[in-house]
Amino acid sequence: MADGSSPVKLSGGAAVAVAPEGTGGGCCSELSAELIRSLTELQELEAVYERLCSEEKVVEEELDALLEQQSPIESKMITLHRMGPNLQLIEGDAKQLAGMITFTCSLAENVSSKVRQLDLAKNRLYQAIQRADDILDLKFCMDGVQTALRNEDYEQAAAHIHRYLSLDKSVIELSRQGKEGSMIDANLKLLQDAEQRLKAIVTEKFDIATKEGDLHQVERFFKIFPLLGLHEEGLSRFSEYLCKQVANKAEENLLLVLGTDMSDRRAAIIFADTLTLLFEGIARIVETHQPIVETYYGPGRLYTLIKHLQLECDRQVEKVVDKFIKQRDYHRQFQLVQNSMMRSSAAEKIEPRELDPVLTEVTLMNARSELYLRFLKKRVSSDFEVGDSMASEEVKQEHQKCLDKLLNHCLLSCTMQELIGYYITMEEYFMRETVNKAVALDTYEKGQLTSSMVDDVFYIVKKCIGRALSSSSIDCLCAMINLSATELESDFREVLCNKLRMGFPATTFQDFQRGVTSAVNIMHSSLQQGKFDTKGIESTDEAKLSFLVTLNNAEVCSENISTLKTTLESDCTKLFSQGIGGEQAQAKFDSCLSDLAAVSNKFRDLLQEGLTELNSTAIKPQVKPWINIFLSVSHNIEEEEFNDYEANDPWVQQFILNLEQQMAEFKAGLSPVIYDSLTSLMTSLIAIELEKVVLKSTFNRLGGLQFDKELRSLVAYLTTVTTWTIRDKFARLSQMATILNLERVTEILDYWGANSGPLTWRLTPAEVRQVLALRIDFRGEDIKRLRL
Amino acid sequence: MSMEDYDFLFKIVLIGNAGVGKTCLVRRFTQGLFPPGQGATIGVDFMIKTVEINGEKVKLQIWDTAGQERFRSITQSYYRSANALILTYDITCEESFRCLPEWLREIEQYASNKVITVLVGNKIDLAERREVSQQRAEEFSEAQDMYYLETSAKESDNVEKLFLDLACRLISEARQNTLVNNVASPLPGEGKSISYLTCCNFN
């Protein structure tokens, strides 16, 4: 049994065939021999037998299949046997190849190591030659310098020194250690002496040349400094020379200024001109000498030159500005302005016109300075860019920072900032005072819609902002935009506001209607004042006109501000495209401008307030009585009266006539847009008031027809006077007319609910009943019975 | 307003003597930087930061002004349109504190009467060099009816708080104004009153 279990498992299905007689291989079948042996029942035995038989069948089939595979396997074996000898041949060839490769490899390694050695040798040779050259050069320099110095050929001498200075210091060290050490030592000493001597000579000769103003010699020695490693010294000495030139020229110019006749054409801007000359002079110097500096000192050195030059520029600017302040009395004028700004009634008040020229001159001075500083910035920046092309980001930023600091905080910048600071206050004063004057001198010409002050005020504001813009300083411009917004919103709007606050006076016609009381009052007050004012009617007309003109003014102001914004925007695009005022400039400007634009809405609000006021104080008191007349016209009429109405209209024609008369006054006095808004307000008013009186009247069938006719005439008329669609405003009234025109109460159902068609009812069911009840010929119970 | 991506827009203008750290406060708040060795500001500078407060986007337009006298006429022109002014002094500089009344006179003269003014004592990182005691500043600000805060732009102390508290106050003020002007239609969510001191405790 022990051997029975293990081998069978290995040999698989094949053992089943051997198994039938029992003991050995029975295990391979699913049924173990013991199991079979333990069986006692026939039925079970039969079942087991059957299963064994079917297993046997399967095994036999498998065996057959295996036997079928025998012949192809055999033929494959034969082929394999034939391949044997060939494989042996291949193995031999491969071994041979491997041997050859190993050999070649070692050969190659051998060769390349030799090449490496050669290369090393070659490099050393080069170095040796270089060093020998250097030593020869050194010798050549030693000899050359002496000769050159003797011949006063300083360029040559400097070239030798330059060569010496650019030699590798170790070379010099090496050559001292050589056999000729002591001789070379002596020569070196000579060379160093020569260097010192040359430095002294060049400095001295340069000084002489500058003193004599010999530009050729100056430039000659200026070029030698960098060869001796004296870049900074060369630049500083050279700029000293240039500064002297700047100073001389500037002094000349300033003397000319002091001698200028005040009647001269350019006398008013003579200081701006002087500054311009100074800046142009420096710019020309930079233009002329930048190439030399760049060629002989290398890029990135312009900053040093400019730094020196700017100091001189600052000195000269100070002188010019001092003279300017003295001659134009700038500080005292500022003081006066400031005093009168603080206390509105100062004793000594400057006539704003007197400030005009000096304000223009200051902005011009600043514009020139900005232009000049921009020029410097551009030049130095691009020079740095070339010089720093290989430098790290930090170095670049450091350089940029230095430049910004130089230009932003130089005396020129500070002085100009100070002048502009005063300028803004004075310009504000100029603007405010001139605006006040324009308001005081306000005149109105017949036929015009607006009065003179609107045009005048905007002319002034535009002028002031324009002048600030011409200073090229964004901060100055923004400040003036802010101040203009304040002036318009607070001061000028207040002027219009006050005019509107005086109100639109009641018409005489209305006084008449109000009865005698008001007339008595007017007389009474006039008598109290000790005079009987016959100009009463005239001044009423004036007051009316003033109100209407102010409305027009408010509208034009609102428009002008929007126009001003657009104009300024386009004016400044050019400025910004030049990169003025740093990265924030555009954002600052936009923000200030949008604040200014917001003032436009304030004027629009004012206009709207005025119109509402006009509608409720002037139109409503007139229109209401006219509409109330409707109540006295019976709409409970017979055929005869209806025909009579046809011939002699009882109400609507007169009403329309009255409206026309009244609106004619406004149409003539208001701009089309405002007039339109006003008529719109008026039509709303009419619709509301008419509805009220209709609901207070009674109608019969013909009366309803009459009302329908009246309403149609009225709507037709109102449609002609306004561009707004008014049908909407009269929708409720038309629907009331429809109801009042019905034959029977139930006819309403033809128009109501599902039958309403395109008609949208604006009346509630309760209102419909209310209107129906106005018809005296409709029975109340019929109306009550309606299902709406 | 809804066209752009914010619910409120406020203008804040920083004023105060030169060198008290106005630019650093603005830089710290808007960019999270403390650039040492800042040159003096020229004219005015302009920064924008949008913050979210209780789910509402608030765009703060911050104007950093030059403290030097010669720029005064430029900076004054910005007072009127400012919603808030941050009056800054340097706690290590007695002089900058002593100038405060002068600044308040300027505010009185040029700013809108609705403007909110905050007094800020900057540079508390330099406590050992303090010249103006906190108590003195608090008394002063109380007398002038101003909110007072001490900050350090360098250490970023109270900088966020300064601007965010201010924004909160501006919002509630703006709401009250719309309420006054527009009684009939209160803004949604206007039922509860908002205390600016408690609504910003999110750091």
Side-chain angles (χ1 to χ4, degrees):
Chain A
M1 281 308 287
D3 66 341
S5 61
S6 53
V8 170
K9 267 194 180 145
L10 288 170
S11 50
V16 181
V18 211
E21 51 280 281
T23 51
C27 300
C28 71
S29 160
E30 286 173 41
L31 306 157
S32 64
E34 289 109 297
L35 184 72
I36 295 168
R37 241 179 251 130
S38 67
L39 292 175
T40 49
E41 294 292 318
L42 180 66
Q43 229 174 346
E44 283 170 346
L45 276 168
E46 270 176 357
V48 169
Y49 173 70
E50 219 157 281
R51 271 184 70 182
L52 284 173
C53 282
S54 71
E55 272 176 26
E56 183 189 7
K57 219 184 243 166
V58 172
V59 168
E60 261 170 13
E61 268 167 27
E62 277 175 9
L63 257 177
D64 284 347
L66 286 171
L67 281 174
E68 258 169 46
Q69 284 177 13
Q70 188 189 7
S71 78
I73 290 173
E74 271 173 1
S75 72
K76 270 182 193 159
M77 281 305 287
I78 293 164
T79 329
L80 282 173
H81 274 298
R82 272 188 218 137
M83 278 164 72
N86 282 344
L87 280 173
Q88 273 169 358
L89 263 175
I90 289 170
E91 194 196 359
D93 285 355
K95 272 185 184 150
Q96 208 179 338
L97 188 62
M100 275 164 73
I101 287 172
T102 319
F103 175 72
T104 314
C105 174
S106 65
L107 196 68
E109 253 170 37
N110 219 351
V111 170
S112 76
S113 83
K114 281 189 178 136
V115 169
R116 260 198 298 274
Q117 276 172 16
L118 270 175
D119 192 49
L120 194 68
K122 196 184 84 179
N123 273 344
R124 293 218 173 119
L125 197 63
Y126 276 137
Q127 279 173 1
I129 291 170
Q130 177 76 36
R131 205 153 278 180
D133 271 351
D134 284 353
I135 291 170
L136 278 176
D137 267 358
L138 196 59
K139 259 198 160 136
F140 179 65
C141 287
M142 291 171 198
D143 300 340
V145 162
Q146 302 299 330
T147 351
L149 275 180
R150 229 173 292 125
N151 298 338
E152 295 195 356
D153 186 354
Y154 303 114
E155 282 81 4
Q156 190 62 45
H160 287 308
I161 298 287
H162 183 64
R163 174 83 186 97
Y164 154 63
L165 289 174
S166 61
L167 282 182
D168 197 345
K169 289 285 168 274
S170 63
V171 173
I172 298 166
E173 211 41 52
L174 264 174
S175 36
R176 282 166 68 175
Q177 285 162 5
K179 268 187 250 160
E180 304 173 19
S182 58
M183 197 189 84
I184 286 186
D185 253 353
N187 275 343
L188 263 180
K189 186 92 182 48
L190 278 177
L191 199 53
Q192 277 156 4
D193 285 348
E195 185 193 344
Q196 293 310 319
R197 234 172 74 214
L198 190 58
K199 277 182 183 171
I201 289 171
V202 167
T203 313
E204 189 192 339
K205 292 266 180 192
F206 185 88
D207 283 348
I208 293 170
T210 53
K211 239 171 241 145
E212 287 172 355
D214 185 346
L215 182 65
H216 180 71
Q217 288 291 316
V218 168
E219 283 189 357
R220 180 185 168 194
F221 290 104
F222 176 57
K223 291 173 192 168
I224 292 175
F225 281 110
L227 293 177
L228 303 177
L230 299 173
H231 293 85
E232 287 294 320
E233 194 177 343
L235 283 171
S236 99
R237 280 173 189 278
F238 187 53
S239 29
E240 220 171 277
Y241 162 72
L242 295 177
C243 286
K244 222 168 272 164
Q245 288 195 320
V246 170
N248 289 341
K249 192 77 198 146
E251 241 154 75
E252 257 174 56
N253 288 333
L254 201 55
L255 276 177
L256 273 178
V257 169
L258 300 179
T260 309
D261 189 359
M262 272 307 130
S263 63
D264 193 280
R265 199 168 51 86
R266 296 190 72 85
I269 48 165
I270 195 77
F271 289 102
D273 278 353
T274 312
L275 277 187
T276 312
L277 285 176
L278 172 68
F279 296 148
E280 279 176 356
I282 296 176
R284 212 171 298 124
I285 284 176
V286 172
E287 293 253 274
T288 324
H289 298 287
Q290 192 186 1
I292 297 190
V293 175
E294 215 171 286
T295 313
Y296 293 92
Y297 286 69
R301 299 275 184 182
L302 190 62
Y303 171 75
T304 317
L305 187 74
I306 299 283
K307 206 170 75 185
H308 289 291
L309 277 175
Q310 189 51 42
L311 281 176
E312 185 58 39
C313 175
D314 285 346
R315 273 191 290 272
Q316 297 308 324
V317 165
E318 198 179 5
K319 281 186 199 164
V320 175
V321 170
D322 272 354
K323 278 275 176 309
F324 163 80
I325 287 171
K326 226 177 262 160
Q327 198 143 330
R328 303 284 195 230
D329 225 357
Y330 196 61
H331 283 169
R332 200 184 65 89
Q333 293 198 351
F334 170 73
Q335 275 304 326
L336 286 175
V337 163
Q338 208 176 27
N339 289 343
S340 52
M341 295 269 262
M342 293 284 190
R343 299 177 296 272
S344 48
S345 58
E348 201 178 355
K349 210 166 184 182
I350 289 194
E351 172 67 22
R353 214 170 349 148
E354 280 174 28
L355 292 174
D356 211 28
V358 79
L359 293 178
T360 307
E361 191 176 20
V362 170
T363 51
L364 197 59
M365 283 162 82
N366 194 67
R368 297 291 187 244
S369 309
E370 295 266 344
L371 187 67
Y372 161 75
L373 289 169
R374 237 172 20 246
F375 165 81
L376 290 190
K377 187 174 171 120
K378 218 162 81 191
R379 281 304 169 105
V380 177
S381 283
S382 56
D383 186 51
F384 267 145
E385 226 164 82
V386 179
D388 293 347
S389 56
M390 311 294 279
S392 68
E393 204 49 45
E394 273 166 47
V395 173
K396 280 182 197 172
Q397 272 180 8
E398 184 59 35
H399 280 159
Q400 201 55 45
K401 225 172 159 181
C402 283
L403 175 61
D404 284 345
K405 212 167 186 175
L406 171 70
L407 298 182
N408 287 336
H409 299 284
C410 64
L411 189 86
L412 167 63
S413 292
C414 294
T415 311
M416 286 303 148
Q417 286 155 5
E418 215 162 279
L419 289 184
I420 286 295
Y422 295 144
Y423 156 80
I424 290 169
T425 308
M426 285 156 83
E427 186 74 281
E428 185 193 1
Y429 174 81
F430 176 87
M431 178 167 71
R432 192 184 295 176
E433 289 298 311
T434 326
V435 164
N436 286 345
K437 206 177 266 182
V439 171
L441 297 175
D442 187 33
T443 56
Y444 166 77
E445 266 179 53
K446 255 209 154 88
Q448 297 285 317
L449 290 175
T450 56
S451 64
S452 67
M453 69 176 171
V454 177
D455 282 349
D456 291 349
V457 164
F458 276 90
Y459 173 79
I460 295 159
V461 170
K462 246 186 268 176
K463 176 178 173 158
C464 293
I465 296 182
R467 186 148 56 193
L469 172 64
S470 74
S471 77
S472 301
S473 157
I474 289 297
D475 278 331
C476 172
L477 171 63
C478 286
M480 274 321 289
I481 292 176
N482 291 340
L483 293 169
S484 303
T486 309
E487 178 64 30
L488 289 173
E489 187 185 338
S490 309
D491 298 350
F492 188 55
R493 187 174 162 278
E494 200 55 36
V495 170
L496 299 189
C497 228
N498 283 337
K499 291 210 180 221
L500 289 183
R501 228 169 262 146
M502 301 217 284
F504 189 82
T507 58
T508 40
F509 174 68
Q510 194 187 336
D511 286 339
F512 214 73
Q513 280 213 325
R514 271 191 201 153
V516 202
T517 37
S518 58
V520 168
N521 279 342
I522 292 170
M523 283 220 341
H524 197 68
S525 64
S526 304
L527 285 171
Q528 268 182 339
Q529 284 164 3
K531 58 183 177 193
F532 190 80
D533 193 0
T534 46
K535 270 169 55 181
I537 293 169
E538 209 174 304
S539 63
T540 308
D541 275 351
E542 259 173 39
K544 278 165 139 186
L545 197 60
S546 155
F547 191 91
L548 298 186
V549 165
T550 308
L551 288 184
N552 291 328
N553 284 351
E555 191 207 7
V556 174
C557 281
S558 167
E559 270 167 24
N560 280 358
I561 292 171
S562 303
T563 317
L564 184 61
K565 177 187 182 245
T566 329
T567 321
L568 279 173
E569 254 167 4
S570 68
D571 284 353
C572 287
T573 28
K574 204 180 128 218
L575 213 59
F576 290 126
S577 64
Q578 296 170 347
I580 284 180
E583 66 231 68
Q584 300 291 359
Q586 177 92 50
K588 281 196 272 190
F589 172 72
D590 287 345
S591 171
C592 292
L593 208 53
S594 74
D595 282 353
L596 177 67
V599 178
S600 171
N601 295 333
K602 296 271 168 67
F603 279 96
R604 238 173 235 291
D605 294 346
L606 186 65
L607 170 62
Q608 213 48 51
E609 272 169 44
L611 273 177
T612 315
E613 164 83 11
L614 187 61
N615 189 47
S616 62
T617 63
I619 295 183
K620 194 171 175 185
Q622 298 241 34
V623 168
K624 228 175 139 174
W626 292 338
I627 290 178
N628 283 340
I629 295 174
F630 183 89
L631 288 172
S632 60
V633 178
S634 170
H635 283 75
N636 188 5
I637 47 174
E638 295 307 315
E639 188 81 30
E640 197 183 325
E641 284 163 302
F642 182 74
N643 289 335
D644 185 40
Y645 280 172
E646 182 85 47
N648 308 304
D649 181 272
W651 172 70
V652 75
Q653 292 309 328
Q654 186 56 43
F655 180 44
I656 290 172
L657 207 65
N658 286 341
L659 281 180
E660 206 158 30
Q661 263 172 9
Q662 185 193 36
M663 293 312 279
E665 180 184 15
F666 295 127
K667 186 163 190 170
L670 290 171
S671 84
V673 176
I674 305 179
Y675 176 68
D676 221 31
S677 310
L678 185 64
T679 47
S680 167
L681 287 174
M682 180 191 73
T683 46
S684 304
L685 176 75
I686 291 174
I688 291 166
E689 293 300 325
L690 191 54
E691 200 179 309
K692 281 187 203 158
V693 292
V694 167
L695 288 177
K696 282 188 208 155
S697 307
T698 53
F699 300 82
N700 61 5
R701 171 75 182 83
L702 279 175
L705 190 60
Q706 172 66 20
F707 171 61
D708 191 56
K709 270 172 68 186
E710 287 165 335
L711 186 65
R712 279 172 205 278
S713 311
L714 185 60
V715 169
Y717 163 69
L718 291 174
T719 308
T720 60
V721 295
T722 129
T723 57
W724 305 83
T725 158
I726 62 157
R727 303 237 164 245
D728 199 48
K729 286 180 178 161
F730 280 83
R732 281 169 63 86
L733 276 167
S734 322
Q735 287 168 8
M736 287 161 91
T738 308
I739 294 170
L740 292 173
N741 248 323
L742 297 178
E743 294 275 358
R744 307 177 300 281
V745 175
T746 48
E747 209 186 329
I748 181 72
L749 297 173
D750 295 347
Y751 302 97
W752 191 262
N755 300 325
S756 65
L759 182 77
T760 316
W761 280 93
R762 300 291 183 84
L763 299 174
T764 62
E767 284 170 332
V768 171
R769 281 179 219 277
Q770 191 191 358
V771 176
L772 280 169
L774 298 179
R775 280 281 294 267
I776 49 164
D777 47 344
F778 287 167
R779 294 194 309 171
E781 42 206 280
D782 287 345
I783 298 171
K784 236 180 246 168
R785 226 181 288 135
L786 270 178
R787 293 188 162 187
L788 293 172
Chain B
M1 221 180 191
S2 58
M3 287 238 306
E4 295 206 28
D5 196 20
Y6 55 80
D7 302 303
F8 292 97
L9 168 69
F10 297 118
K11 263 192 182 182
I12 300 174
V13 179
L14 276 91
I15 55 175
N17 275 20
V20 298
K22 297 180 291 295
T23 303
C24 287
L25 280 172
V26 176
R27 288 277 164 113
R28 170 57 81 191
F29 177 63
T30 56
Q31 302 172 327
L33 298 174
F34 180 76
Q38 273 283 316
T41 306
I42 291 175
V44 290
D45 247 338
F46 173 81
M47 298 269 177
I48 283 182
K49 178 152 173 162
T50 306
V51 295
E52 209 176 297
I53 289 172
N54 295 335
E56 290 191 281
K57 287 228 165 76
V58 184
K59 187 168 170 182
L60 300 178
Q61 216 184 58
I62 304 170
W63 294 82
D64 171 28
T65 65
Q68 286 159 316
E69 182 71 34
R70 63 175 182 276
F71 296 111
R72 214 44 64 82
S73 59
I74 290 175
T75 55
Q76 281 162 356
S77 78
Y78 287 89
Y79 285 35
R80 196 185 58 94
S81 60
N83 301 105
L85 296 169
I86 297 181
L87 176 52
T88 316
Y89 77 95
D90 174 358
I91 62 149
T92 70
C93 174
E94 171 77 27
E95 173 65 17
S96 73
F97 184 78
R98 249 186 288 153
C99 283
L100 292 179
E102 199 184 306
W103 286 104
L104 289 175
R105 266 196 299 281
E106 280 211 354
I107 294 172
E108 181 75 23
Q109 190 180 352
Y110 299 105
S112 130
N113 48 10
K114 276 181 270 174
V115 76
I116 295 176
T117 312
V118 179
L119 181 64
V120 168
N122 192 30
K123 304 198 188 173
I124 51 171
D125 48 290
L126 303 174
E128 73 280 3
R129 277 161 49 192
R130 185 188 271 273
E131 288 182 8
V132 182
S133 76
Q134 188 164 356
Q135 196 199 346
R136 218 175 121 205
E138 269 165 5
E139 278 167 14
F140 178 79
S141 66
E142 221 161 275
Q144 302 294 334
D145 203 18
M146 282 184 292
Y147 177 54
Y148 177 66
L149 199 65
E150 296 203 336
T151 60
S152 162
K154 189 177 178 191
E155 306 290 339
S156 197
D157 275 347
N158 273 346
V159 178
E160 290 268 304
K161 182 174 164 55
L162 165 65
F163 284 98
L164 295 179
D165 282 4
L166 191 52
C168 283
R169 242 173 67 169
L170 285 165
I171 290 175
S172 63
E173 205 103 331
R175 285 233 172 89
Q176 261 165 25
N177 279 342
T178 38
L179 271 186
V180 170
N181 296 337
N182 208 354
V183 190
S185 58
L187 288 169
E190 258 311 298
K192 57 185 190 295
S193 71
I194 295 163
S195 152
Y196 85 95
L197 281 171
T198 54
C199 76
C200 277
N201 291 335
F202 45 70
N203 16 330

